[in-house]
Amino acid sequence: GDSVTQMEGPVTLSEEAFLIINCTYTATGYPSLFWYVQYPGEGLQLLLKATKADDKGSNKGFEATYRKETTSFHLEKGSVQVSDSAVYFCALSDQGGSYIPTFGRGTSLIVHP
Amino acid sequence: GAGVSQSPRYKVAKRGQDVALRCDPISGHVSLFWYQQALGQGPEFLTYFQNEAQLDKSGLPSDRFFAERPEGSVSTLKIQRTQQEDSAVYLCASTSGPLNEQFFGPGTRLTVL
C-alpha cells in the first residue's frame, strides 16, 4: 500500500538557518504530493503541492520538488523565521489508486530567535 | 468564518460513554473526510463522504464508530461505548473534490478516562 516516511523531529534551528525536512514515499499509482503545516492550536493547512514528476511546489518561501527517481519530496526553506515553528506533514494522494490521502507522522520544527 | 468548524473542541468521556463529534464543512464542498490523529502521529483516514453518501468507511477501527452526513453538509462522527484507546484528536476535512486540497477543521480532542 501507499506510505509516506518523513524525518523524525523535533528539528531545532536558529532564525535565518536553512531548513530541509526529508520525505520519501511509496505509491502504486501516480501520486500527487503535498506538504501540510499545523500551527499550534490550529488545523492542518496546505502549504504546497506538486502533481507530477519534476514539478516544484512553492509557498511562503518553502519549496519542494517532486522527484520520481528517488521517490522524494523534501521540504526546503533558505531562511527560517520564528513564525515557521509548527508541525509539517508530508502527504500523498494516489490518482491511479485509492484517493484516500496518506500522511506521514509529522516533523516538528522549532525556530529560536 | 468560512472555514471548517468542529465541535466540541475538547471532550472528556468516561469509559463506556457514547460521544458525538460534529463537523461543519465549507459551504458547497461535496467531499468530507474524517481522520483520527494520535499523539505524535499523522492523521489516519477513517471515512469519506461525497454529499450524503458514505463512499468509504474502511478506516473505521471498529463497529463502535459510526459516521453520518444525512443532508450532505454537516457530519457527525459517533463513538459508542468509548474505550481508552479512542483517545485522540479527530479531524474533519472538506474539499471540492476528493483529489483537491483538503481544508481541515481545528479538530476535537477526545480524552477517555
Side-chain angles (χ1 to χ4, degrees), chain A residues 34 36 38 41-46 49 89 93-95 98-101 103-106, chain B residues 9 33 35 37 40-43 45 48 55-56 58 91 98-102 104-106:
Chain A
F34 306 84
Y36 283 84
Q38 187 174 30
E42 300 183 14
L44 279 75
Q45 54 187 277
L46 181 67
K49 68 177 183 181
F89 294 91
S93 187
D94 196 339
Q95 301 173 67
S98 165
Y99 51 75
I100 297 172
F103 288 82
R105 296 180 56 168
Chain B
R9 290 292 309 276
F33 292 77
Y35 297 89
Q37 185 179 18
Q41 303 293 317
F45 170 79
Y48 160 63
L55 298 187
D56 193 320
S58 62
L91 299 171
L99 292 177
N100 295 345
E101 174 186 354
Q102 300 210 351
F104 282 82

Side-chain angles (χ1 to χ4, degrees), chain B residues 39-54:
Chain B
L39 188 64
Q41 303 293 317
E44 294 282 344
F45 170 79
L46 293 176
T47 186
Y48 160 63
F49 289 87
Q50 185 163 316
N51 296 306
E52 69 279 4
Q54 188 174 20

Side-chain angles (χ1 to χ4, degrees), chain B residues 7-59:
Chain B
S7 60
R9 290 292 309 276
Y10 302 91
K11 176 69 179 177
V12 178
K14 292 183 179 178
R15 191 160 54 105
Q17 275 187 324
D18 298 349
V19 298
L21 313 180
R22 177 187 169 107
C23 172
D24 284 81
I26 291 173
S27 177
H29 276 187
V30 299
S31 299
L32 186 147
F33 292 77
W34 281 99
Y35 297 89
Q36 182 188 61
Q37 185 179 18
L39 188 64
Q41 303 293 317
E44 294 282 344
F45 170 79
L46 293 176
T47 186
Y48 160 63
F49 289 87
Q50 185 163 316
N51 296 306
E52 69 279 4
Q54 188 174 20
L55 298 187
D56 193 320
K57 55 182 181 179
S58 62

Side-chain angles (χ1 to χ4, degrees), chain B residues 93-112:
Chain B
S94 72
T95 176
S96 55
L99 292 177
N100 295 345
E101 174 186 354
Q102 300 210 351
F103 292 84
F104 282 82
T108 295
R109 182 176 297 277
L110 172 65
T111 303
V112 182

Side-chain angles (χ1 to χ4, degrees), chain A residues 45-67:
Chain A
Q45 54 187 277
L46 181 67
L47 179 60
L48 54 84
K49 68 177 183 181
T51 58
K52 61 182 187 297
D54 300 325
D55 269 2
K56 178 185 286 187
S58 61
N59 186 25
K60 299 181 181 180
F62 291 88
E63 292 183 342
T65 301
Y66 189 143
R67 301 286 188 200

